[in-house]
Structure formats: structure tokens, C-alpha cells
């Protein structure tokens, strides 16, 4: 073991000091399998202890003694806080139950991905009773006037839930069937008319009539938006599910959180940036001006993907493939290049959704509507997992207010 390797390990005394224990306790940790010991350099009798192992053990011991600071840090892009078999973000890629999401976006239908997320199988999509909830959704859409798609869905869910006798059936197969009804109702509302077949096909017929290839873009957008591990809306949805709320209420919790400007509502800020830039030639100047004014540049940088959001890259590539001559694609490419040059960051899924929607001439609220419809599948997957866990999510707060009755 050379000098470089020694930097990655502790001696026994150093490891004991780092852990705040005696040497006999250190050796006991090794015998119990809590810590590895490695052979030292050739000819050396003393064993070495991996620095990473020692630090990991130290953190575990601290968490048992005082979990507050570690739990608080975990809420800010920190360490995992819930076990889940649904989504993995690793090495710059996104995986749904072990399958690369960008590949699924090219090869699978949204319904097949939803079933995969919900059950881990590729079972058939549940049949939704003919005519349900078409008339009810159509009547409500007429009453909601000019509300954007996501706000309209927030108004829709309680109405449809009240008429669904199976809403409170939380058995897995029942939740899958309810999930299919929820997605059909939301898509019908968003499209402004009944959808009897695949959701992406129905949306394409309503939003992009005459564009035969639009379905591929919408399918990919729905799939890439479907899940992203414990993002804030999914955590809200899991909290609702942990209280045994209905799938309708789980999705309502997710939608309320998604509307936030720091989450799904971010796409509206990206659209505003596109309007501000206007033409590709202005991209560098507009981004530089924003930085001079101390303003954020939306649509760039995702902390979980240091080398770039694969969802954004996939959507930009698909938009360029479907509409290579589109001004929206050219504008997006110019802004993306400026962002990478000025910020050192690459476009997010919000950026990709805006470019795709504009390239296909979709309605202005389509990016957030696609995000909401796609992510509904993920929220329901997490609801199923949380229902099975049977545990209430109930963290504790670390009190930092005034002393009680003047006492310290």
C-alpha cells in the first residue's frame, strides 16, 4: 500500500480518535462487521482502516445520538430519507425500476411506463368504463372557463372522486384501476374532449391536429416527467398516502405542490425567458444582462445531474428531430449554448418541455400540463409503495423559538 493509498485510510489510532472510541472498541467494530481493516504496506504489520468506512460509521453513530442536524441536512438535496424501489438517479442517468427513462421515452407508451412504475410489470392497462367520466369532465370544463390546465385539474379531482365509489379502496389492484381513471379524467379535461385510446394520441389529436408525429413528442414528454425520486411534490404525495388518503387526494397534494414556482411552475419562467430573448442573436446579451442585474436564469442546472439533465437533453434532441426547421428549436439551441457558456450549466426538463411545446405549436400551458399528467403516474406509484408500507410519515421539528416561560 503506497502513500496515495495511505491518504484514503486511517491507522488504528487515527480511526479510534475519529470515532471517539478506544482501540479495543475499534477492534470490536471490526469483529462485528461494522468496519473493514486492510493490510498495510508490504512488510508492515499494522492494519489500515478505510477513511470512507470510518466516516460513514461516525455519521451513523451521530445520527443515533442526535438525528436532528443530519435529518435537517437530508431535506436539502441530502442523504436518502425513504426506501423506494421506483426510481434511481445515478451516474447522470434516470432509471425507472432499473430501466433507463430516456430509452423508455423512445420505445414504450406512457401507459406501459405507468404500469411499470405502479407494479413492476408490463401488465395490460386497466379498462376504463365507457363514458366515465367523460360527461362529468366535459360539463366541468365548460364551467371552469379560461383556467389553465393544472388549476382546472385541481378543481376536477374532488368532483370526480366524490362520484367514484372505489375511491377509498386502497388495495393495490384497486389503486391501479383508480389511477387509470384519474389519468383519463385529467387528460380528457386538458384535451377539452373525450379520450378513448392512448393518452398521448388523444392529446396530440386535440393539441396538434394534422401533425402525425406529434404523438411521439408527447409520449416522450409524459414519460420523462413521470417520476424523479423524492422531489417536493412526490414527497407531499407520499405524506398524503401515508395518512391513507385516497389516490385522488394524493394527486391533489402533488398538484398543489407542483404549481410552485420552484418546481413545475418553473416552466412558466422558462417560457418568459424565451419571450425575453426573442431571437437567437440576443441569447448571449439577455443572459449576461440578467446576471448583471442579479437575476436568475431559469431552465439551467439540476443539482442531481452535474453533467446535465438527461431529460432536458432527450427532449431537445427529440424536438430537433421532429421539427428541425422550427424557430423554437433554433431559439432553444441558442439559449442552451449561451447558458452553457455563461453559466457552465445545461438545460433542465423544464427547458426541454418549453422547446418541444413551442416546436409542435402546442397551447401555452402545455409544458406544465404535460409535467402534471406525467408526474401523476409517479405520484400514484409512490402512493402504492407508501400504502404498502403502512406507516405515517411524521418527522419531528427542531425547536428554535423562545424559551418556555423564560426558562433556558
Amino acid at each position: 500500500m503506497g502513500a496515495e493509498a495511505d491518504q484514503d485510510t486511517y491507522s488504528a489510532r487515527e480511526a479510534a480518535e475519529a470515532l471517539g472510541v478506544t482501540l479495543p472498541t475499534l477492534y470490536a467494530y471490526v469483529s462485528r462487521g461494522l468496519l473493514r481493516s486492510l493490510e498495510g504496506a508490504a512488510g508492515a504489520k499494522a492494519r489500515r482502516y478505510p477513511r470512507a468506512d470510518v466516516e460513514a460509521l461516525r455519521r451513523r453513530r451521530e445520527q443515533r445520538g442526535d438525528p436532528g442536524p443530519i435529518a435537517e441536512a437530508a431535506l436539502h438535496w441530502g442523504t436518502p430519507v425513504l426506501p423506494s424501489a421506483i426510481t434511481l438517479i445515478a451516474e447522470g442517468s434516470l432509471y425507472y425500476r432499473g430501466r433507463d427513462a430516456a430509452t423508455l421515452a423512445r420505445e414504450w407508451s406512457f401507459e406501459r411506463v405507468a404500469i411499470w412504475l405502479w407494479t413492476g410489470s408490463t401488465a395490460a392497462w386497466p379498462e376504463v368504463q365507457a363514458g366515465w367520466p367523460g360527461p362529468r369532465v366535459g360539463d366541468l370544463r365548460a364551467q371552469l372557463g379560461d383556467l389553465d390546465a393544472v388549476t382546472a385539474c385541481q378543481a376536477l379531482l374532488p368532483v370526480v372522486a366524490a362520484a367514484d365509489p372505489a375511491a377509498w379502496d386502497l388495495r393495490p389492484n384497486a389503486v391501479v384501476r383508480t389511477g387509470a381513471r384519474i389519468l383519463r379524467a385529467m387528460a380528457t379535461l386538458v384535451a377539452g374532449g373525450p379520450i378513448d385510446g392512448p393518452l398521448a394520441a388523444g392529446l396530440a389529436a386535440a393539441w396538434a391536429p394534422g401533425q402525425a408525429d406529434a404523438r411521439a413528442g408527447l409520449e416522450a414528454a409524459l414519460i420523462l416527467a413521470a417520476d424523479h425520486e423524492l422531489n417536493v411534490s412526490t414527497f407531499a404525495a407520499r405524506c398524503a398516502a401515508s395518512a391513507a388518503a385516497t389516490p385522488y387526494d394524493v394527486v391533489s397534494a402533488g398538484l398543489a405542490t407542483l404549481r410552485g414556482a420552484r418546481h413545475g411552475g418553473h416552466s412558466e419562467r422558462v417560457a418568459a425567458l424565451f419571450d425575453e430573448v426573442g431571437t437567437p442573436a440576443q441569447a448571449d446579451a439577455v443572459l449576461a444582462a440578467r446576471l448583471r442585474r442579479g437575476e436568475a436564469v431559469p431552465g439551467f442546472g439540476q443539482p442531481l445531474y452535474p453533467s446535465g439533465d438527461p431529460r432536458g437533453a432527450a427532449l431537445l434532441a427529440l424536438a430537433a428531430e421532429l421539427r428541425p426547421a422550427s424557430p423554437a428549436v433554433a431559439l432553444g439551441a441558442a439559449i442552451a449554448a449561451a447558458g452553457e457558456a455563461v453559466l457552465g450549466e445545461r438545460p433542465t426538463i423544464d427547458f426541454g418541455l418549453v422547446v418541444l411545446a413551442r416546436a409542435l405549436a402546442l397551447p401555452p400551458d402545455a409544458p406544465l400540463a404535460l409535467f402534471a399528467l406525467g408526474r401523476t403516474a409517479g405520484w400514484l406509484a409512490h402512493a402504492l409503495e407508501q400504502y404498502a408500507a403502512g406507516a405515517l410519515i411524521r418527522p419531528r421539528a427542531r425547536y428554535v423559538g423562545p424559551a418556555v416561560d423564560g426558562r433556558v
Side-chain angles (χ1 to χ4, degrees):
M1 181 177 293
E4 183 177 346
D6 281 350
Q7 294 177 0
D8 296 328
T9 62
Y10 283 128
S11 68
R13 189 168 299 282
E14 290 169 338
E17 289 177 355
L19 292 168
V21 299
T22 63
L23 286 173
T25 299
L26 179 75
Y27 302 144
Y29 286 159
V30 175
S31 67
R32 288 157 52 195
L34 299 176
L35 191 65
R36 292 180 298 159
S37 70
L38 308 175
E39 291 185 1
K45 294 182 179 180
R47 299 186 69 82
R48 306 286 299 183
Y49 302 83
R51 187 180 295 265
D53 288 13
V54 172
E55 293 303 313
L57 179 57
R58 180 181 60 80
R59 287 193 296 270
R60 290 199 300 271
R61 293 173 66 247
E62 287 178 350
Q63 187 170 9
R64 286 196 298 270
D66 182 11
I70 293 177
E72 181 179 357
L75 296 177
H76 302 279
W77 305 94
T79 55
V81 296
L82 281 175
S84 177
I86 298 170
T87 296
L88 171 67
I89 299 170
E91 298 179 353
S93 296
L94 173 67
Y95 301 92
Y96 295 157
R97 294 193 184 275
R99 293 182 180 266
D100 184 84
T103 301
L104 297 182
R106 291 273 185 173
E107 299 178 354
W108 285 21
S109 69
F110 173 59
E111 284 81 359
R112 189 180 182 189
V113 169
I115 289 292
W116 180 250
L117 288 170
W118 295 347
T119 69
S121 73
T122 54
W125 183 251
E127 291 290 334
V128 176
Q129 183 179 351
W132 190 99
R136 190 174 299 108
V137 175
D139 293 343
L140 183 61
R141 175 74 269 188
Q143 297 173 26
L144 295 176
D146 295 330
L147 287 181
D148 66 88
V150 175
T151 303
C153 285
Q154 288 180 287
L156 165 77
L157 289 174
V159 175
V160 177
D164 186 352
W168 288 97
D169 190 345
L170 304 186
R171 293 174 299 170
N173 288 340
V175 173
V176 168
R177 292 192 296 269
T178 299
R181 293 195 296 274
I182 289 173
L183 278 168
R184 181 61 50 83
M186 290 174 61
T188 296
L189 184 72
V190 168
I195 294 181
D196 297 323
L199 301 188
L203 291 172
W207 283 348
Q211 300 184 57
D213 56 356
R215 175 180 172 177
L218 299 181
E219 204 93 69
L222 292 169
I223 290 170
L224 291 168
D227 196 53
H228 205 232
E229 199 214 58
L230 283 184
N231 55 84
V232 63
S233 62
T234 299
F235 189 70
R238 283 196 79 126
C239 287
S242 79
T246 72
Y248 290 93
D249 291 328
V250 166
V251 175
S252 292
L255 285 174
T257 312
L258 183 70
R259 287 298 306 273
R262 292 177 180 170
H263 192 14
H266 197 76
S267 60
E268 295 179 7
R269 297 168 62 194
V270 174
L273 173 65
F274 273 56
D275 292 338
E276 182 181 350
V277 173
T279 63
Q282 295 297 315
D284 290 314
V286 169
L287 266 61
R290 276 181 167 256
L291 292 177
R292 282 197 304 271
R293 295 193 298 266
E295 298 175 2
V297 179
F300 288 91
Q302 220 292 347
L304 295 177
Y305 303 109
S307 298
D309 188 339
R311 304 166 301 167
L315 290 173
L316 289 177
L318 185 57
E321 179 182 318
L322 293 174
R323 298 291 181 273
S326 167
V329 170
L331 181 59
I335 298 174
E340 187 165 0
V342 175
L343 305 170
E345 296 176 336
R346 294 176 181 173
T348 64
I349 185 174
D350 307 282
F351 192 104
L353 287 170
V354 169
V355 172
L356 180 69
R358 292 189 173 208
L360 297 176
L362 305 182
D365 61 351
L368 185 54
L370 288 168
F371 203 134
L373 283 170
R375 189 56 56 88
T376 293
W379 293 331
L380 291 166
H382 283 271
L384 280 158
E385 201 170 60
Q386 195 62 46
Y387 291 148
L392 182 69
I393 296 175
R394 204 310 190 177
R396 294 294 308 278
R398 182 170 59 86
Y399 180 69
V400 295
V404 177
D405 296 331
R407 298 192 300 262
V408 177

